[in-house]
Amino acid sequence: MISNDISKAIEILNNEDVVAIPTETVYGLAGNIYSEKAIRKIFQVKQRPLFNPLIVHIHSIEKIEEIVSEFPEKAKLLATAFWPGSLTLVLKKKPNIPDLITAGKNTVAVRIPNHPVTLSLLKKLSFPLAAPSANPFGSISPTNSTHVANYFRNTIPMVLEGGQCENGIESTIVGFENNEAILYRLGSISIEEIENVIGKLKVKNKKEIAPNAPGMLARHYAPKTKTFLVKDIEEFMKNYTHKKIGMLRFSSNINFSRSAHLEVLSKNGDLKEAASNLYAALHRLDQLNLDMIVAELFPDIGLGKSINDRLERATKNK
Ligand code: TXA
Ligand code: MG
């Protein structure tokens, strides 16, 4: 089911079925935005509630006219600065965008992914692709083709191979309300990078954002293993000397117990590298039948904020 064959992917998508596709953030589960059959299959395979809208993926900025009715100046600046790339813009939609994609909203989320395989696929299709992350609703997002195959081997026809996702966490989502830019989801592009282009970004508190961006649902991106997020990992370990523990650390390779499995996300303390390794490390730890996973809080700057956001959601109770 994992394959490099772009022509096969085109054939499946033209037949209104779904294909998992690589992007620079995470793998997506893709279908023709105009095919009700394909879009319903995406929701069904992911077990995703219909009130949670999808992101539309296009290959060039000219295509945006087909999707949105307004393209504000600040949105243009962001698109120019970051596309192709890990920024999703939420804009007023054109009437032809199906309600299934937008969950009935008058806005649509859109981005140009920065992955050569998927860009070349999109160029050969006559329609844009809707693609949520290719994981069952609420679980850890996939950053390689094997993660996707492990989730959906029996329910989707094909995963298009594109290697390891370079950025490793989802796109940053920005919308506009009354001409003001608003952050809906932290992600691969930091708040600081966005503010460098358009100035101050309004960050709503999480409760306010929740109904708009269910990627903001409290428990999300979660391993099956009970997971904790702590400031002081050494202190935490003192209480659990007899447990089989998976430890997720930023740059320190200190292991406090012989029964602990250690994942260090960036030996050099590079937040971009850490973000890129985050989900793969969680997938590995989750497969070890551990009693628990404990992650340490990351520095609250740049991509550290996005990593902490994902870890907080991974550690929320059901
Ligand atoms: O990096 C990514 O964004 C990946 C890759 C595959 O592109 N996709 C992804 O999709 O993360 P998904 O469906 O897992 O998350 C999309 C988020 C959801 O939280 C959804 O609520 C939000 O985008 N969203 C979609 N349309 C929206 C809209 N009109 N207004 C506000 N939020 C929206
Ligand atoms: Mg997702």
Side-chain angles (χ1 to χ4, degrees):
M1 70 150 352
I2 298 178
S3 160
N4 289 310
D5 189 347
I6 292 193
S7 330
K8 185 81 196 300
I10 294 170
E11 192 187 314
I12 296 171
L13 290 163
N14 282 335
N15 271 328
E16 300 190 77
D17 207 336
V18 301
V19 171
I21 55 164
T23 84
E24 83 285 14
T25 58
V26 300
Y27 275 70
L29 187 57
N32 174 355
I33 64 164
Y34 301 117
S35 160
E36 182 172 339
K37 187 176 164 203
I39 302 308
R40 285 204 184 276
K41 179 156 178 186
I42 291 174
F43 280 98
Q44 177 232 324
V45 166
K46 269 189 68 97
Q47 295 287 300
R48 174 175 173 123
L50 287 168
F51 63 74
N52 193 350
L54 305 179
I55 297 175
V56 172
H57 295 71
I58 54 177
H59 63 77
S60 77
I61 196 132
E62 287 77 46
K63 285 269 159 198
I64 192 106
E65 283 171 28
E66 181 184 330
I67 315 289
V68 311
S69 59
E70 285 173 24
F71 199 13
E73 209 43 49
K74 280 184 183 170
K76 275 188 195 145
L77 286 172
L78 289 174
T80 310
F82 297 112
W83 283 356
S86 312
L87 177 76
T88 294
L89 294 171
V90 172
L91 301 168
K92 287 256 156 38
K93 79 175 190 93
K94 279 258 167 81
N96 56 300
I97 303 300
D99 281 342
L100 253 186
I101 302 286
T102 61
K105 289 171 185 294
N106 62 359
T107 54
V108 60
V110 58
R111 83 177 185 102
I112 303 180
N114 189 16
H115 192 292
V117 172
T118 287
L119 283 172
S120 106
L121 171 68
L122 283 166
K123 280 179 196 152
K124 291 178 181 144
L125 294 169
S126 59
F127 44 81
L129 291 174
S133 52
N135 52 288
F137 188 66
S139 56
I140 311 166
S141 300
T143 54
N144 64 41
S145 54
T146 310
H147 294 155
V148 185
N150 287 345
Y151 282 140
F152 296 131
R153 197 175 306 286
N154 300 318
T155 45
I156 67 170
M158 176 177 174
V159 183
L160 183 58
E161 179 59 78
Q164 185 71 37
C165 301
E166 197 182 331
N167 292 347
I169 54 176
E170 292 81 354
S171 59
T172 301
I173 306 183
V174 174
F176 299 87
E177 291 173 25
N178 306 320
N179 263 330
E180 196 177 20
I182 304 200
L183 178 81
Y184 288 141
R185 178 175 74 182
L186 287 157
S188 274
I189 294 179
S190 67
I191 295 179
E192 293 88 333
E193 283 174 277
I194 289 169
E195 290 188 336
N196 276 341
V197 178
I198 54 163
K200 201 72 194 146
L201 191 58
K202 182 164 172 188
V203 183
K204 288 195 173 176
N205 74 42
K206 284 171 188 161
K207 279 208 183 93
E208 276 180 288
I209 295 175
N212 267 345
M216 289 299 205
L217 285 181
R219 185 177 165 88
H220 219 90
Y221 317 107
K224 294 189 292 293
T225 315
K226 180 88 188 141
T227 303
F228 298 88
L229 176 62
V230 300
K231 276 206 186 82
D232 186 341
I233 209 164
E234 184 175 6
E235 202 49 44
F236 180 93
M237 293 300 283
K238 283 183 191 153
N239 302 321
Y240 295 103
T241 43
H242 300 298
K243 297 276 190 197
K244 258 171 66 189
I245 297 182
M247 228 191 288
L248 193 75
R249 310 208 64 185
F250 178 22
S251 54
S252 156
N253 62 0
I254 296 172
N255 194 340
F256 300 108
S257 143
R258 280 202 294 160
S259 58
H261 182 96
L262 176 66
E263 289 278 353
V264 177
L265 295 190
S266 171
K267 279 195 211 107
N268 303 322
D270 174 3
L271 287 167
K272 193 162 167 60
E273 183 183 24
S276 142
N277 289 328
L278 175 68
Y279 289 148
L282 278 173
H283 276 283
R284 280 193 295 274
L285 292 174
D286 206 22
Q287 280 173 356
L288 295 175
N289 283 319
L290 301 165
D291 296 317
M292 62 176 79
I293 296 170
V294 56
E296 69 184 350
L297 262 175
F298 278 63
D300 189 35
I301 45 154
L303 291 182
K305 282 194 206 297
S306 306
I307 295 173
N308 285 338
D309 172 79
R310 298 305 191 268
L311 288 172
E312 275 161 23
R313 288 171 212 288
T315 56
K316 283 267 157 49
N317 291 323
K318 278 188 192 176

